Amino acid sequence: MNSSPILPGDLRLLVLAPNWLGDVVMHTPLLSLLDAGREAVRAATGRELHLTLGVRNAWAGLFASDRRVDELLLLERGGRYGGIRGLRRLAGRLKEGDFDAVLICPPSLRTALVSWLARIDTRVGYRSDGRSFFLTEGLDPQERGTLHYSREMLALGATWLRRTGVAEATLQGFPNATSLPGCRSIRPAFEPTGKPFWVVAPGSTYGEAKTWPLDRVAEFVAEARSIHGQRIVFLGDEAARGFTDRLKERLDLAWGDDPGADSDLVDLTGRTDLTQAVAVLKAADAFVGNDSGLMHLAAALGLPTVGVFGSSNPDWTAPVGPAVAAVTASGFACRPCYLKECNQAEFCLETVQAATVLAAVHG
């Protein structure tokens, strides 16, 4: 666990990470930028940078041994931090950290208000959700897709670095590649019967409008098996199990839930925690899924990744990695709509064919 000692005179910076897994992964270039700027901060201020990452318990395992981060502050959205009383409890916890500055990644009013209540001197964030009053350095939000989300997060870091007196702290030339060095110690998981496999993640927490339909996924899996002889491992949360249960009714193939069994398809939906999911992704040959947290996780781990985009916008949230592709439907003026449920006569993702996604995997 991250536990670098706090020394007198350290410049204490808190980064409040986003709430959702995909956004958490996409904000990691910000951590790289801040880590790369340590020497420049020292030269400009005469102080050592001590970087604390405030992150939900659910995602903390991704950063447990991340050397970019000096300390983890584990947070929850609800529970004792829910409601009005929880707001004050959380502010009190942040105040105990005696932070000099905070970068507020979540776009909510609540996170800016908490930072203000904690009396953190410098509060950097986007002027969204009516929270300008609570920020000392506010950035104007842009239309979604003008910048990739990872670059929006980099802009927060660059703004703070400029404020500290670091020269040339601009985004130009700094890579927005997502990375999870804290996951290096997680060993790759099984290979079913010793043979390579692809991971397919059919779920999306946001809603059906981001989900490649059942019929198209069934066609993809059938063609991957019949044409390429490819084994498939399904990953996702408990909600994705309903999707794979319906898929089993469509496909006359050998299914199993034992990773070591001789099965064409292995269903692990709802059966892995985050660390186990990382281990499975590390052992895979490719990833195919909707715009989701698992898609971004796969890309950041360096896995060849194909994201299927419906209501969301790849200009804003495409996977970032060494071998990635975003597949979208063409000819739909309504997309990206950012809706949870499609309200059109024809759902755009119904037109994304299995052959198109297979070509992207092999491309």
Side-chain angles (χ1 to χ4, degrees):
M1 183 64 71
N2 313 60
S3 56
S4 296
I6 304 168
L7 301 176
D10 278 355
L11 181 58
R12 303 206 59 189
L13 173 65
L14 171 64
V15 174
L16 289 177
N19 290 317
W20 302 106
L21 176 58
D23 295 348
V24 168
V25 174
M26 286 189 289
H27 104 294
T28 57
L30 167 61
L31 302 180
S32 298
L33 174 67
L34 296 170
D35 186 53
R38 288 180 185 272
E39 185 175 338
V41 169
R42 184 188 311 117
T45 67
R47 303 169 70 185
E48 296 290 340
L49 174 62
H50 186 94
L51 176 58
T52 298
L53 178 65
V55 63
R56 290 177 60 185
N57 281 301
W59 320 132
L62 299 177
F63 303 98
S65 58
D66 193 326
R67 294 186 177 181
R68 295 172 297 187
V69 178
D70 299 307
E71 183 181 12
L72 290 182
L73 178 63
L74 304 185
L75 305 173
E76 282 302 326
R77 299 181 70 205
R80 67 187 305 268
Y81 295 129
I84 298 298
R85 291 184 179 179
L87 190 73
R88 294 191 176 277
R89 288 193 191 101
L90 181 54
R93 187 170 185 190
L94 298 191
K95 193 171 184 179
E96 290 172 1
D98 195 25
F99 297 108
D100 296 288
V102 58
L103 306 186
I104 307 169
C105 297
S108 67
L109 173 63
R110 185 181 180 87
T111 50
L113 175 58
V114 164
S115 301
W116 179 77
L117 289 172
R119 299 295 185 261
I120 300 174
D121 287 341
T122 301
R123 303 177 296 277
V124 183
Y126 281 94
R127 298 187 188 98
S128 58
D129 206 25
R131 62 188 196 162
S132 295
F133 174 81
F134 302 109
L135 303 173
T136 59
E137 291 286 340
L139 284 71
D140 291 327
Q142 302 186 48
E143 183 178 354
R144 285 182 286 190
T146 304
L147 285 178
H148 192 273
Y149 183 88
S150 60
R151 293 217 164 271
E152 291 182 359
M153 296 298 99
L154 281 169
L156 294 176
T159 298
W160 178 76
L161 287 169
R162 293 188 192 102
R163 183 185 175 96
T164 64
V166 174
E168 303 294 331
T170 67
L171 296 182
Q172 184 175 2
F174 197 88
N176 69 321
T178 58
S179 59
L180 293 168
C183 292
R184 286 173 183 162
S185 61
I186 301 175
R187 296 176 60 84
F190 63 90
E191 292 186 6
T193 64
K195 296 181 180 179
F197 63 94
W198 295 348
V199 166
V200 172
S204 175
T205 303
Y206 184 76
E208 290 294 323
K210 287 180 69 174
T211 303
W212 202 23
L214 183 69
D215 288 345
R216 301 288 85 78
V217 175
E219 291 169 2
F220 172 83
V221 173
E223 291 186 23
R225 287 292 305 139
S226 63
I227 298 174
H228 303 283
Q230 190 63 56
R231 290 178 175 272
I232 304 292
V233 172
F234 291 91
L235 273 185
D237 58 16
E238 188 63 37
R241 295 210 73 171
F243 191 101
T244 54
D245 285 344
R246 296 194 303 273
L247 195 61
K248 290 171 186 176
E249 299 174 0
R250 301 289 185 95
L251 295 171
D252 185 20
L253 294 168
W255 284 79
D257 56 11
D258 179 359
D262 188 12
S263 302
D264 297 332
L265 310 176
V266 176
D267 185 8
L268 295 183
T269 54
R271 299 180 58 227
T272 59
D273 60 22
L274 183 61
T275 300
Q276 291 167 333
V278 169
V280 172
L281 290 169
K282 281 190 167 188
D285 279 4
F287 172 94
V288 174
N290 305 308
D291 177 16
S292 64
L294 283 176
M295 176 195 73
H296 291 291
L297 188 60
L301 293 171
L303 186 63
T305 298
V306 176
V308 181
F309 282 74
S311 64
S312 55
N313 185 355
D315 289 340
W316 192 36
T317 58
V320 183
V324 299
V327 176
T328 61
S330 59
F332 288 84
C334 56
R335 67 163 313 276
C337 64
Y338 302 106
L339 296 176
K340 293 186 177 182
E341 305 292 336
C342 179
N343 61 3
Q344 302 295 307
E346 184 179 22
F347 179 29
C348 64
L349 283 182
E350 286 283 2
T351 68
V352 176
Q353 301 300 316
T356 301
V357 178
L358 278 168
V361 177
H362 288 289

